[in-house]
Amino acid sequence: MRSLLALTSALALAACSGATANPVAPQAKGQTQVAQAGDPAHPVVVELYQSQGCSSCPPADKVVNRLADRNDVIPLSFAVTYWDDLGWKDTFANPSYTARQWDYAHSAGRPVVATPQVIVNGHDAVLGSREGELNAAIARNVRKDGPAIKAEGGKVEIGAGNAAKATVWVVRYDPRTLDVAVRGGENEGVTIPHRNIVKQLVNVGTWTGKAQSFALPAAPAGLKTAVLVQNGKGGPILSAAKI
């Protein structure tokens, strides 16, 4: 896993170059992994934090890309910014996604952020290339006690539930396979396929335990939408849905 202390580019480069990633077993051509480990009625949110500038990330991209064909998870790929000065600027990176990863780190008491890191339902942190560990984390993070989520008429309704002060996020992501030819940095000459790249992350309000409705921001063309109800910043995902 590539770690970052937010110091200097040289230190970041050394950390990135010195890490290793577990290889992903190849699949037969045309084969798609759709094994279920969770509950489609209560999908688990799988957030991959990755960068095109880090050589450990492509194996994790492949693992999380395969999750896009499962209906028991909501896989989301967040491109972070902190490798952008190491020879290649990530084409999808956004500072707000880096900030979200730091929220998770602060909440868990971790002094660093890293790629390729997967956060499962806002709780478990897993190395993204370790597919078996990721599937096990999905299975143990299924939640069935969260509020119901329903979208209608330009609004999203969060049902009543246990009293909480939770952030309601609207996430817009691209479901297509987006191939990026990297022309610099550690992955120079490599074409990286991405799926479910996050293009928009919007805080639409706070859920306090009672049934509430929130206005949905306009959806960019071609993007799919997920709604996440999350305990504070960097806390567990209480409920999630594709809408």
Side-chain angles (χ1 to χ4, degrees):
M1 183 179 284
R2 311 305 174 109
S3 61
L4 180 72
L5 298 176
L7 296 177
T8 64
S9 294
L11 178 60
L13 180 58
C16 191
S17 298
T20 58
N22 284 17
V24 179
Q27 291 182 290
K29 185 176 181 180
Q31 181 181 0
T32 301
Q33 182 176 355
V34 293
Q36 304 297 297
D39 178 2
H42 301 89
V44 174
V45 180
V46 174
E47 302 179 40
L48 170 64
Y49 291 88
Q50 52 79 27
S51 173
Q52 295 159 5
C54 186
S55 62
S56 289
C57 287
D61 290 322
K62 292 178 182 178
V63 169
V64 176
N65 285 352
R66 287 199 286 271
L67 294 179
D69 295 315
R70 288 172 46 170
N71 60 8
D72 62 330
V73 296
I74 301 176
L76 301 169
S77 184
F78 288 90
V80 297
T81 57
Y82 47 82
W83 301 121
D84 280 359
D85 59 349
L86 303 181
W88 177 259
K89 183 177 176 62
D90 192 290
T91 56
F92 305 119
N94 189 306
S96 67
Y97 307 156
T98 305
R100 180 169 175 82
Q101 190 184 19
W102 272 111
D103 285 340
Y104 281 125
H106 294 149
S107 180
R110 293 188 293 269
V112 298
V113 294
T115 57
Q117 184 179 61
V118 173
I119 305 296
V120 181
N121 247 15
H123 186 265
D124 285 2
V126 180
L127 181 59
S129 54
R130 293 179 178 168
E131 191 163 18
E133 291 182 16
L134 177 53
N135 281 324
I138 292 170
R140 67 175 173 263
N141 277 281
V142 177
R143 295 190 61 143
K144 300 186 179 183
D145 57 347
I149 299 174
K150 181 175 67 173
E152 188 174 11
K155 294 184 177 182
V156 60
E157 181 177 307
I158 311 299
N162 295 329
K165 188 174 182 181
T167 305
V168 180
W169 298 101
V170 173
V171 186
R172 264 52 186 265
Y173 60 95
D174 196 324
R176 300 172 299 169
T177 297
L178 305 176
D179 292 318
V180 176
V182 180
R183 298 186 177 89
E186 287 193 340
N187 288 320
E188 184 176 5
V190 176
T191 296
I192 303 176
H194 299 279
R195 296 183 71 181
N196 287 20
I197 280 285
V198 174
K199 295 294 189 72
Q200 188 181 75
L201 177 68
V202 183
N203 179 346
V204 296
T206 301
W207 176 75
T208 57
K210 63 181 180 180
Q212 293 172 256
S213 292
F214 303 88
L216 285 170
L223 301 187
K224 289 191 174 182
T225 300
V227 174
L228 318 180
V229 181
Q230 182 170 27
N231 188 12
K233 279 190 173 182
I237 304 292
L238 305 178
S239 190
K242 302 174 187 178
I243 62 171

